[in-house]
Amino acid sequence: MTCDTWFYESAVTARALWQGQIPHVYHVTPWSNVQYNTKVENLAQHVLHPHYLHLTVNGVLMFGPLWLLFLWHVPRILSRDPWQLTLMACCVTGVTALSLAPHQEPRFILPLLTPLTLLFSEKIVSKCWSLWLLFNLLLALFFGYCHQSGVVPSLLFLGTATYELPGEHSIIYYHTYMPPRYLLSLPATLDRTRVVDLQGANFTMLSSVITQAQAETNHTLWLVAPGSVHVPTDHLYACRIYNWHISTEDLPRNWRERGLHVWSSRPVKWCQ
């Protein structure tokens, strides 16, 4: 708590804390986490999910056969020995608490791996070892090669494009994971490129940001978004498409909506 207060309150110095001076505001990170995640308007910035997503989708994605065994044994929870009952209770209470928040990502339930492994590892080894290997192979292929796979190559491309083109640049990422800006590899002295991460913002917010950027003179706008989301591409030129990019939050409904797309407000040499 003391370290968090020191970090977030710039007016609080280490000497003041050491001397016992009480700051006006203490930061308790677990409580701040609860406060943030209980407000729907905060979570709407990251995309809202149904409360059953952890139970029906994320658990299967993260744990595969382990999760199916867990669901099968939940109705029999009271008939287990005290040790197994404790582990089952950890899983049930954990996924229930996390399901109360309307923003649910698979990584949030990763701590359940330990009790699930202790509960069902013997069954996996003795009865469905081949299924476990197949599950991990398929998921490694999906998350390692397809899931959000266009974000990194798009940044590498935009780093080259913004370096070669004169003027200022605005790069808007929409409905993708947070783009790591260092991959643009731009010199520190070249301060004319800004990255706007709109996360899961609505269409109105996107249109407003695009309009503001297009109104500036000697300015190039770059828009990066999955083909499965509706974006205002009027007066924009298609530059790149990363076909294997898949966003589980915005799954394509047909072949034309595949991949991650890059548009530019100027007909530069990379655009069609």
Side-chain angles (χ1 to χ4, degrees):
M1 186 172 65
T2 300
C3 292
D4 288 340
T5 302
W6 181 22
F7 181 82
Y8 288 108
E9 295 294 324
S10 57
V12 179
T13 64
R15 182 181 295 275
L17 290 174
W18 180 258
Q19 293 174 350
Q21 297 181 18
I22 300 176
H24 296 293
V25 178
Y26 265 109
H27 287 269
V28 184
T29 300
W31 175 240
S32 299
N33 177 57
V34 171
Q35 286 183 308
Y36 184 89
N37 285 284
T38 52
K39 294 181 179 178
V40 176
E41 58 270 22
N42 292 335
L43 301 179
Q45 302 176 37
H46 308 278
V47 178
L48 298 178
H49 302 112
H51 291 286
Y52 55 79
L53 195 69
H54 279 324
L55 190 66
T56 58
V57 178
N58 293 344
V60 179
L61 282 176
M62 292 297 292
F63 310 119
L66 279 176
W67 190 252
L68 299 179
L69 287 169
F70 164 68
L71 295 178
W72 176 258
H73 285 86
V74 165
R76 305 166 182 81
I77 186 173
L78 295 179
S79 63
R80 309 183 75 84
D81 63 61
W83 169 243
Q84 293 179 328
L85 178 61
T86 301
L87 293 174
M88 288 290 288
C90 289
C91 296
V92 171
T93 55
V95 74
T96 301
L98 290 170
S99 295
L100 295 176
H103 176 67
Q104 303 185 16
E105 297 180 27
R107 60 190 175 92
F108 293 172
I109 59 173
L110 184 60
L112 297 182
L113 178 62
T114 298
L116 287 173
T117 302
L118 292 173
L119 278 166
F120 305 116
S121 58
E122 291 185 7
K123 287 184 171 61
I124 292 291
V125 173
S126 62
K127 296 182 179 180
C128 51
W129 182 246
S130 58
L131 178 62
W132 178 252
L133 289 178
L134 179 62
F135 163 77
N136 281 278
L137 178 63
L138 292 177
L139 269 291
L141 179 64
F142 175 74
F143 284 106
Y145 189 70
C146 299
H147 185 251
Q148 296 287 336
S149 63
V151 174
V152 170
S154 68
L155 282 164
L156 298 176
F157 159 68
L158 290 168
T160 301
T162 54
Y163 179 77
E164 293 184 8
L165 293 176
E168 296 186 348
H169 300 265
S170 290
I171 303 173
I172 300 174
Y173 274 82
Y174 183 62
H175 280 241
T176 69
Y177 277 11
M178 182 174 62
R181 291 156 175 77
Y182 73 92
L183 290 175
L184 291 172
S185 301
L186 296 174
T189 56
L190 196 65
D191 187 19
R192 54 184 178 84
T193 299
R194 62 169 180 162
V195 178
V196 181
D197 181 15
L198 289 183
Q199 301 175 349
N202 57 36
F203 181 81
T204 303
M205 174 70 74
L206 174 64
S207 300
S208 175
V209 173
I210 289 178
T211 301
Q212 293 176 8
Q214 289 179 327
E216 300 180 27
T217 58
N218 193 28
H219 196 98
T220 303
L221 167 70
W222 303 87
L223 174 61
V224 186
S228 54
V229 299
H230 178 51
V231 296
T233 56
D234 297 337
H235 311 297
L236 295 179
Y237 300 87
C239 292
R240 283 284 191 280
I241 176 172
Y242 300 94
N243 288 306
W244 291 103
H245 176 99
I246 295 177
S247 173
T248 52
E249 291 82 5
D250 302 285
L251 291 172
R253 293 173 290 274
N254 54 62
W255 178 249
R256 296 183 62 183
E257 294 185 351
R258 72 191 187 282
L260 185 71
H261 295 246
V262 180
W263 293 273
S264 173
S265 61
R266 294 168 55 186
V268 294
K269 63 181 181 180
W270 299 278
C271 297
Q272 299 174 0

